[in-house]
């Protein structure tokens, strides 16, 4: 595997943890700022992201925060947010997650969208992470919406350098490392050595754990990237439990600074605070993580792809991520089947 490919795979692991942790930290940020506002959806057509990164400011007019909505009847207090980790070296969105916040029922669901997911698009490399190269976060957002058959109401992108800062801001994380990790890459000056079992991780150590894919002797997760996503999601659960503690209130200014410098979004700051307050009131047990069902060893026209299982995807999205009051059908989705 080339050096660039190794770096890209590492960055997607970092993004999964960083993006979700940032949403949890926003809850504390909201208490610090002392104001919040629920996002507003307005019926007018397909959504389009706000290209202005400065959008995360206190709204002057509540109507300015309204996002377009299709004519279909939607559930109340239910929002979808695309969370993307940007690969600064390769200029792409290397990790994407979709969050569904159901404030009415007190649940937050996050689904990992594998970077190699096969898309029904015109360009030659039909992978989800390639959508960013064809139109930035706007194109990625459009493709996720078409693929899954639901609107993507908002987006959040994060600078991956936030990862170490965030973990250190909460004084590290207690985590049960699932396997022995022994990996050295002199070209990247990357050295990962951990024994299986519980350990308190600093920001740098946590970075190494979520970056790890396999050992130098070739041993590793039996299911490759899907196995690593499982470790990332377990780590996120540990981060959520540690972050949502009263003892972290004195760290709010530091967390707010990390958030303000590392994140771009078309959500208003008051909306982010509202989302954070919902997460704080629900608690970490209300957050569930999923992965799109599919085959990581799939092929399409000679290329290697993550090929989705249409029926499995339909069941998952309709159960946890469907913002409409009516059930979804396969015809709503644009899943390419080889």
């Amino acid at each position: 595997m080339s050096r660039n490919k190794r770096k890209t795979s590492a960055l997607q692991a970092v993004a999964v943890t960083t993006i979700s942790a940032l949403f949890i930290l926003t809850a504390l940020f909201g208490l610090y700022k002392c104001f919040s506002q629920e996002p507003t959806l307005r019926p007018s057509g397909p959504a389009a992201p706000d290209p202005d990164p400065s959008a995360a400011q206190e709204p002057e007019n509540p109507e300015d925060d309204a996002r377009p909505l299709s004519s279909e009847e939607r559930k109340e207090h239910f929002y979808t947010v695309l969370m993307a980790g940007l690969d600064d070296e390769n200029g792409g969105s290397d990790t994407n997650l979709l969050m569904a916040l159901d404030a009415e029922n007190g649940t937050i669901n996050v689904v990992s969208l594998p970077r190699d997911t096969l898309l029904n698009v015109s360009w030659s490399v039909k992978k989800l992470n390639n959508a960013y190269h064809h139109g930035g976060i706007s194109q990625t957002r459009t493709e996720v919406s078409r693929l899954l058959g639901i609107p993507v109401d908002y987006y959040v992108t994060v600078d991956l350098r936030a990862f170490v800062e965030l973990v250190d801001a909460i004084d590290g994380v207690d985590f049960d490392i699932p396997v022995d990790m022994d990996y050295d890459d002199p070209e990247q000056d990357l050295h990962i050595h951990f024994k299986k079992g519980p350990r308190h991780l600093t920001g740098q150590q946590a970075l190494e754990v979520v970056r790890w894919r396999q050992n130098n002797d070739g041993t590793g997760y039996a299911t490759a990237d899907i196995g690593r996503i499982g470790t990332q999601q377990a780590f996120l659960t540990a981060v959520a439990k540690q972050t949502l503690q009263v003892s972290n209130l004195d760290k709010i200014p530091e967390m707010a600074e990390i958030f303000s410098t590392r994140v771009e979004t078309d959500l208003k700051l008051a909306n982010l605070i509202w989302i954070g307050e919902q997460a704080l009131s629900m608690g970490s047990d209300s957050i569930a993580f999923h992965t799109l069902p599919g085959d990581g060893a799939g092929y399409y026209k000679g290329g290697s792809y993550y090929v989705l299982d249409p029926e499995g995807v339909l069941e998952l999205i309709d159960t946890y991520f469907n913002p409409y009051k009516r059930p979804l059908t396969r015809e709503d989705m644009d899943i390419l089947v080889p």
Side-chain angles (χ1 to χ4, degrees):
M1 182 181 294
S2 70
R3 178 183 178 184
N4 285 339
K5 288 185 177 179
R6 284 195 299 268
K7 288 185 177 181
T8 298
S9 296
L11 286 168
Q12 72 180 100
V14 177
V16 170
T17 306
T18 304
I19 298 169
S20 299
L22 281 168
F23 265 102
I24 299 165
L25 293 173
T26 308
L28 301 177
F29 190 14
L31 296 178
Y32 178 61
K33 290 295 184 180
C34 298
F35 68 90
S36 70
Q37 178 181 317
E38 181 175 357
T40 304
L41 297 171
R42 52 181 169 80
S44 66
D50 188 337
D52 181 6
S54 65
Q57 304 295 329
E58 181 181 5
E60 297 179 1
N61 185 330
E63 292 303 314
D64 292 341
D65 186 47
R67 299 299 304 170
L69 171 68
S70 78
S71 59
E72 295 199 52
E73 189 175 7
R74 287 186 52 148
K75 302 171 185 175
E76 294 184 359
H77 314 299
F78 192 110
Y79 304 97
T80 59
V81 182
L82 177 64
M83 302 180 288
L86 301 185
D87 179 348
D88 291 333
E89 293 184 357
N90 295 314
S93 172
D94 203 53
T95 293
N96 296 282
L97 304 98
L98 186 68
M99 181 188 77
L101 169 67
D102 185 353
E104 187 75 12
N105 295 302
T107 62
I108 297 174
N109 283 278
V110 181
V111 60
S112 298
L113 312 176
R115 62 190 299 273
D116 292 340
T117 297
L118 176 63
L119 298 179
N120 187 15
V121 292
S122 59
W123 56 77
S124 58
V125 181
K126 303 179 186 297
K127 296 184 178 182
L128 177 58
N129 72 324
N130 201 39
Y132 194 90
H133 296 286
H134 288 265
I137 191 64
S138 177
Q139 188 69 49
T140 304
R141 180 180 184 173
T142 295
E143 298 308 331
V144 170
S145 181
R146 287 200 311 113
L147 179 73
L148 303 180
I150 58 175
V152 176
D153 299 323
Y154 299 96
Y155 77 89
V156 173
T157 65
V158 63
D159 181 336
L160 300 184
R161 291 173 294 180
F163 180 85
V164 173
E165 297 176 22
L166 287 169
V167 175
D168 285 339
I170 57 174
D171 298 325
V173 174
D174 293 324
F175 185 62
D176 191 359
I177 299 173
V179 295
D180 289 342
M181 299 181 177
D182 288 293
Y183 179 78
D184 293 283
D185 184 353
E187 291 185 10
Q188 297 186 65
D189 193 25
L190 177 61
H191 307 280
I192 302 174
H193 299 285
F194 295 101
K195 291 296 183 182
K196 177 182 178 181
R199 178 163 178 166
H200 186 79
L201 301 174
T202 65
Q204 180 58 39
Q205 290 171 336
L207 175 66
E208 293 170 0
V209 168
V210 297
R211 289 183 72 180
W212 182 84
R213 182 182 182 186
Q214 65 178 16
N215 295 318
N216 287 109
D217 63 5
T219 59
Y221 296 120
T223 52
D225 282 343
I226 301 304
R228 183 170 54 180
I229 286 175
T231 295
Q232 295 159 6
Q233 293 175 346
F235 184 80
L236 283 173
T237 301
V239 170
K241 289 181 178 179
Q242 184 154 330
T243 302
L244 297 176
Q245 296 178 2
V246 175
S247 60
N248 278 324
L249 291 178
D250 62 341
K251 303 182 180 73
I252 290 173
E254 180 182 358
M255 295 176 180
E257 176 63 23
I258 296 170
F259 189 91
S260 64
T261 58
R262 302 299 191 196
V263 172
E264 292 184 4
T265 178
D266 60 348
L267 280 158
K268 306 291 185 180
L269 177 57
N271 300 150
L272 288 166
I273 292 170
W274 182 85
I275 291 173
E277 288 174 340
Q278 303 309 306
L280 188 63
S281 65
M282 295 175 196
S284 60
D285 290 341
S286 69
I287 304 173
F289 297 96
H290 314 268
T291 302
L292 283 183
D295 180 8
Y299 282 88
Y300 178 75
K301 293 186 176 180
S304 176
Y305 289 91
Y306 186 84
V307 177
L308 297 180
D309 168 13
E311 295 305 320
V313 171
L314 175 61
E315 181 179 2
L316 175 70
I317 299 303
D318 194 40
T319 302
Y320 300 107
F321 297 88
N322 180 10
Y324 299 130
K325 291 186 176 180
R326 70 161 178 87
L328 295 174
T329 68
R330 274 283 287 113
E331 287 67 34
D332 292 312
M333 300 179 170
D334 190 8
I335 298 176
L336 180 59
V337 180

